[in-house]
Amino acid sequence: MSKVFSAHAVSVDGYITGRDPGAGRGLGDATMLFDWYFNGDTPSQVFDGFGLSEPSARIFDALAARVGAVVAGRNTYEDSDHFGGGSPHPTARLFVLSHRPAPEITERQTLITTGIQDAVAAARESAGGKDVGLMGGAVVTEALRAGLVDEVVLHQVPVLLGVGRPFFQSLPEHVRLRLVEAVPAPGVTHLRYEVER
């Protein structure tokens, strides 16, 4: 069965956006969380225009190659200007989890209003045996609460933002993780964890 995982760039103090994120403002003043996409001379084999360091390219492309569908939350969708009507991944269909209508949804996107379990199930069906990627702190937190997440990948950038949207929200209980890989790279450390069940 396909896996469900999240892979997010995050500050050392746990933020995935900076100050004042939103439609037309992207992720706020936290663009430095993504500098590592462009600080090397190894082109991504999956994403056009990305020039990463060799270790980052290896990790990034391995993760991106696994993705068959993406589930994103409404805040992420809005902050990213609806992903231009497509998806954050060049080949994976986007499923937007929201409890309110989204008239801007295109034929390349699917709105799910009935909860995280339905969103992940629909994404799995669409993924063709590949994995489901999760985007956004609320979506990842809901999926963790529901016991749906297999892996959490943190691309930890050495910056303290002090403000923004935190990656993880309140959980009803502890979620134990097991570190399976740690790869230091210029401007980022890639940490891959399995969720213990």
Side-chain angles (χ1 to χ4, degrees):
M1 178 179 271
S2 66
K3 290 188 175 182
V4 176
F5 75 97
S6 70
H8 283 74
V10 62
S11 66
V12 171
D13 53 348
Y15 291 100
I16 56 174
T17 74
R19 184 178 287 103
D20 202 27
R25 297 182 307 276
L27 300 178
D29 63 352
T31 58
M32 75 286 296
L33 291 178
F34 306 98
D35 288 349
W36 60 275
Y37 286 0
F38 310 105
N39 70 354
D41 55 8
T42 304
S44 169
Q45 299 302 304
V46 181
F47 282 76
D48 289 339
F50 283 26
L52 305 105
S53 68
E54 186 283 323
S56 287
R58 182 171 35 85
I59 296 295
F60 183 84
D61 281 351
L63 289 168
R66 292 171 48 184
V67 176
V70 175
V71 177
R74 184 63 176 265
N75 284 338
T76 301
Y77 181 70
E78 296 293 344
D79 293 350
S80 302
D81 293 324
H82 312 145
F83 299 106
S87 171
H89 188 283
T91 60
R93 184 165 188 84
L94 174 65
F95 293 80
V96 179
L97 180 61
S98 180
H99 298 295
R100 59 189 195 274
E104 62 279 358
I105 290 285
T106 70
E107 70 281 348
R108 296 172 52 212
Q109 303 167 334
T110 302
L111 177 66
I112 304 288
T113 60
T114 53
I116 189 65
Q117 291 180 327
D118 289 343
V120 169
R124 268 197 165 122
E125 186 174 322
S126 173
K130 287 189 160 190
D131 292 344
V132 173
L134 303 176
M135 288 190 72
V139 161
V140 174
T141 300
E142 284 186 51
L144 284 166
R145 284 183 190 138
L148 298 172
V149 181
D150 299 298
E151 294 180 17
V152 174
V153 178
L154 302 177
H155 304 295
Q156 191 178 64
V157 177
V159 63
L160 298 169
L161 292 176
V163 68
R165 283 197 194 117
F167 184 23
F168 297 105
Q169 299 175 8
S170 178
L171 292 166
E173 58 187 37
H174 296 321
V175 175
R176 295 206 177 267
L177 306 175
R178 184 175 68 82
L179 181 65
V180 294
E181 186 176 33
V183 178
V188 64
T189 300
H190 306 283
L191 304 166
R192 186 166 66 93
Y193 298 92
E194 286 182 352
V195 177
E196 292 186 352
R197 290 196 165 77

